[in-house]
Amino acid sequence: MKVSTFNAASIRARMHLLLEWLAENEPDVLGIQETKVEDEKFPLADFEDLGYHASLHGQKSWNGVAILSRTSPTSVCRGFEDDLFPTDARLVTAEIDGVQIINTYVPNGSSVGSDKFIYKLRWLERFGRFLRERFSPDQPLIWMGDINIAPTPIDVYNSPRFYGGVGHHPEEMARLEQIVGFGLVDVFRKFHPEKGHYTFWDYTLPNGPERNLGWRIDHIYATHTLADQCTSCEVDKAARLQPKPSDHTFVTAVFDR
């Protein structure tokens, strides 16, 4: 099973890149974040032409997540299904080939101490409860997406400069650690324990990808039973160097199942 994640930063602006990448790489599952489109306006037919089903949770102009899958998904869930975050299109889950797939676009947080930062912390806490309420660490489960947290010093090109700011803040890291404590493995770090690997390069930094001034904030986690079957996990930096790219790129994990 080949599973990928990608923050498109507007799916309609990134269709050229997405369709070419899908045709070339042929993942079984692709989680997309920041689709920025209502479900009824999602460009479904283009993906169906490539043989994909879509599980959607979108909204106009903001947020939005989707799961594309080769096989038909079951048990699709959109959001937390409660009144705490009722219009926040940041979470979609589906069962695909016996694996629970969770795709999230975690809030950015804007600035430390802001309402948006507090909202991010609350969202992370709610997601941790969601995992424990709905799933078991003994089942095959993958959590992926734009997590908007660089959890260790080697996940940011200049950790001393950014530590304590949004995306690299100890309160965010603590909440992510609690989530991972459910029984998850960061499968990228299983194969790449060294520094220098990133998934996001800010548009505003001149030649950021070429200079590798990046952050690793797009992650793929798996429960231990599935992580043991993971044979590779790679960042496709080349996609970030294409014309009109997203500021994020694809991360792909392969599981022997």
Side-chain angles (χ1 to χ4, degrees):
M1 178 182 249
K2 189 176 186 180
V3 175
S4 304
T5 182
F6 178 58
N7 181 317
S10 176
I11 195 164
R12 288 181 288 193
R14 235 58 67 188
M15 285 301 291
H16 68 292
L17 176 60
L18 267 165
L19 295 176
E20 289 178 9
W21 192 89
L22 284 168
E24 180 178 349
N25 291 274
E26 299 183 330
D28 299 296
V29 178
L30 172 64
I32 307 173
Q33 305 86 44
E34 272 201 282
T35 57
K36 297 186 177 182
V37 65
E38 307 96 314
D39 291 348
E40 60 270 20
K41 295 182 180 179
F42 187 89
L44 181 59
D46 293 297
F47 296 113
E48 289 178 335
D49 288 344
L50 290 177
Y52 286 95
H53 303 265
S55 305
L56 306 175
H57 185 34
Q59 65 187 87
K60 183 178 180 179
S61 303
W62 301 99
N63 306 323
V65 284
I67 298 173
L68 304 182
S69 56
R70 288 285 189 186
T71 58
S72 182
T74 60
S75 305
V76 177
C77 171
R78 297 169 180 85
F80 295 121
E81 297 185 330
D82 60 26
D83 59 0
L84 293 177
F85 302 92
T87 61
D88 201 22
R90 296 180 178 275
L91 167 67
V92 62
T93 73
E95 183 173 339
I96 299 166
D97 294 331
V99 177
Q100 295 289 339
I101 303 291
I102 305 174
N103 178 28
T104 61
Y105 174 45
V106 173
N108 173 275
S110 184
S111 61
V112 174
S114 68
D115 289 345
K116 291 184 178 180
F117 186 73
I118 295 169
Y119 180 83
K120 180 178 188 176
L121 299 181
R122 287 179 55 234
W123 195 98
L124 289 164
E125 290 166 359
R126 178 67 186 95
F127 179 73
R129 295 199 305 274
F130 173 82
L131 267 183
R132 288 167 172 81
E133 291 165 0
R134 302 288 185 94
F135 305 103
S136 165
D138 297 325
Q139 67 186 133
L141 180 148
I142 292 170
W143 171 37
M144 61 181 172
D146 179 357
I147 309 304
N148 260 320
I149 300 171
T152 72
I154 64 172
D155 291 312
V156 185
Y157 73 92
N158 188 340
S159 178
R161 174 183 173 187
F162 293 106
Y163 182 77
V166 168
H168 200 44
H169 191 281
E171 290 195 48
E172 298 170 314
M173 296 173 185
R175 283 159 179 79
L176 178 58
E177 186 176 359
Q178 290 174 348
I179 293 169
V180 173
F182 166 81
L184 298 172
V185 176
D186 181 345
V187 294
F188 183 81
R189 286 300 179 204
K190 176 181 175 181
F191 301 98
H192 303 283
E194 69 280 359
K195 64 181 181 180
H197 299 282
Y198 309 119
T199 65
F200 165 86
W201 296 264
D202 194 328
Y203 287 135
T204 65
L205 287 176
N207 301 312
E210 292 82 356
R211 298 160 64 198
N212 207 27
L213 306 180
W215 294 56
R216 192 181 74 96
I217 57 176
D218 305 87
H219 304 173
I220 299 177
Y221 295 92
T223 48
H224 286 272
T225 183
L226 202 54
D228 290 344
Q229 299 172 15
C230 188
T231 58
S232 69
C233 188
E234 303 295 333
V235 173
D236 185 0
K237 187 177 179 180
R240 178 62 176 82
L241 301 173
Q242 296 299 310
K244 298 181 180 179
S246 168
D247 43 4
H248 298 250
T249 197
F250 298 86
V251 183
T252 299
V254 178
F255 299 87
D256 185 14
R257 60 176 293 117

